[in-house]
Amino acid sequence: MVSIKPANSAGTEVGQPQGAPEPPTTVWALKDLLDTNTLSMKDLELVFETTDTMVEVRERPVGRVATLRGTTVVTLFYENSTRTRASFEIAAKALGADVINLAAATSSVGKGESLVDTVRTIEAVGADILVIRHPGSGAATLAARHTNASVINGGDGAHAHPTQALLDLYTMRQHVGDLEHRKVVIVGDVLHSRVARSNLWALRKAGAQVTLCGPSTLLPRSLESLPVHEGAGTCRVTSNLGEALEEADIVMALRIQRERQEQGLLPSLREYIRNYQITEERLGNANPNALVMHPGPMNEGVEISPEVAHGLRSVVREQVANGVAVRMAILFLMATARRR
Ligand code: CP
C-alpha cells in the first residue's frame, strides 16, 4: 500500500501527520479505465473512499504529496477540453507525478501518425499512464490494446467518459448520500452523450432510478434494456419532460453537441429550448431540494437557463472541483496497481 504523505515545497515526503487519512484497503485490479461498465460496486466504493482521502490532501496547507514520484502521466487530446485536461494535470502534479500534455494538433498526429503508432511512441518515451480523449468511439479501447501503459478514457466519441461519471456520482453522494432508489433525470442529447452512457452504467450499479429524457430522435430506446449484472437500478426512457421531472432528486442537463449533429436529428434550437430547456418553472415538478447538474461546458440559454445554471440548486462548480480529487484517486489507484 502506498502512503499518502504530504510533500514539502521540493516535492519530497515529509512524513505522515497525526490523524492523516488512510487509503482504503480494497484492491484495484484494472489496468485501464475505459468505461464505468467494467467497475463493480466495490470498485465504485473504492474510488469514492480514495477520493475522500484526496479531498483531505487538497485541504492541507501544501495540498500535494509525493506518492506518484517517478510516475509519468501523458495526456493525449484529439478533441478540445478544459475541465478534463486541466484537472488531470492538476491531479497528477498534486500526487507528485511528471506530466506531459500532448495535443493532437501540435503533435506528429498532424503529420499523419496513426493513433496506435502515437500510443506506442508515448509508451516508448516512458509513459506509465495515458489519458486519452478522441472523437472516435472505441479509440481508448484501441489504444489500451496496443500499450502496456495504463489507459484512462478521457472521453471517446459518443461512447464513454468514465471519470466524468465518477465525479458526478461523487458529487451526488455528497449531497444526497446513498443513491439507491434516488430518482436521477438526464435530459437532452442522450444519443451523442458519452456522459449519459457512463453515468447510466454507474448509477444503475449504485441502485438509482434513472430516467433519460429528450427529443425522440436523440433518445436511443436500447438504453432502457442495457444488461447490468450488479445493482438494482432501473432505466426509463421518455420524451415527456414534465413527467420525467416529477419528484426528481437530481436533474442533469446534457450539452447540445452541435459538433455531432451531422444527421439533422436535432429539432430546431428554438423547439428544443421550448420543450427541453431546464428552467426554474419546469423544476417546479421536481423534488423541492433537487440538485441541478451539468457536465459542462454549458450552452446557457439552450439546454439550461442561466438562472438555473447559477442558481441555488446548481452544483456545477462542485462537479468541476470534485473532478480534481476524483482524478487524483483514479491516478493513485492505477499507479499503485502497476507497482504491485
Ligand atoms: N465535461 C467535460 O468533459 O468537459 P471538458 O470537455 O471541458 O473536458
Side-chain angles (χ1 to χ4, degrees), residues 78 103-115 117-118:
Y78 288 76
T106 53
S107 72
S108 289
V109 170
K111 299 178 199 164
E113 191 162 48
S114 71
L115 173 63
D117 283 344
T118 302

Side-chain angles (χ1 to χ4, degrees), residues 8 28 43 46 71 79 107 129-130 160 168-169 175 206 212 217 220 230 233 246-247 253 292 299 304 338:
N8 61 20
W28 180 268
D43 292 327
L46 178 60
T71 297
E79 261 189 0
S107 72
I129 299 178
L130 173 62
D168 290 338
L169 264 75
H175 284 269
L212 303 173
T217 49
E230 192 187 10
E246 274 168 27
E247 295 178 18
V292 173
N299 296 306
I304 189 166
R338 291 179 66 78

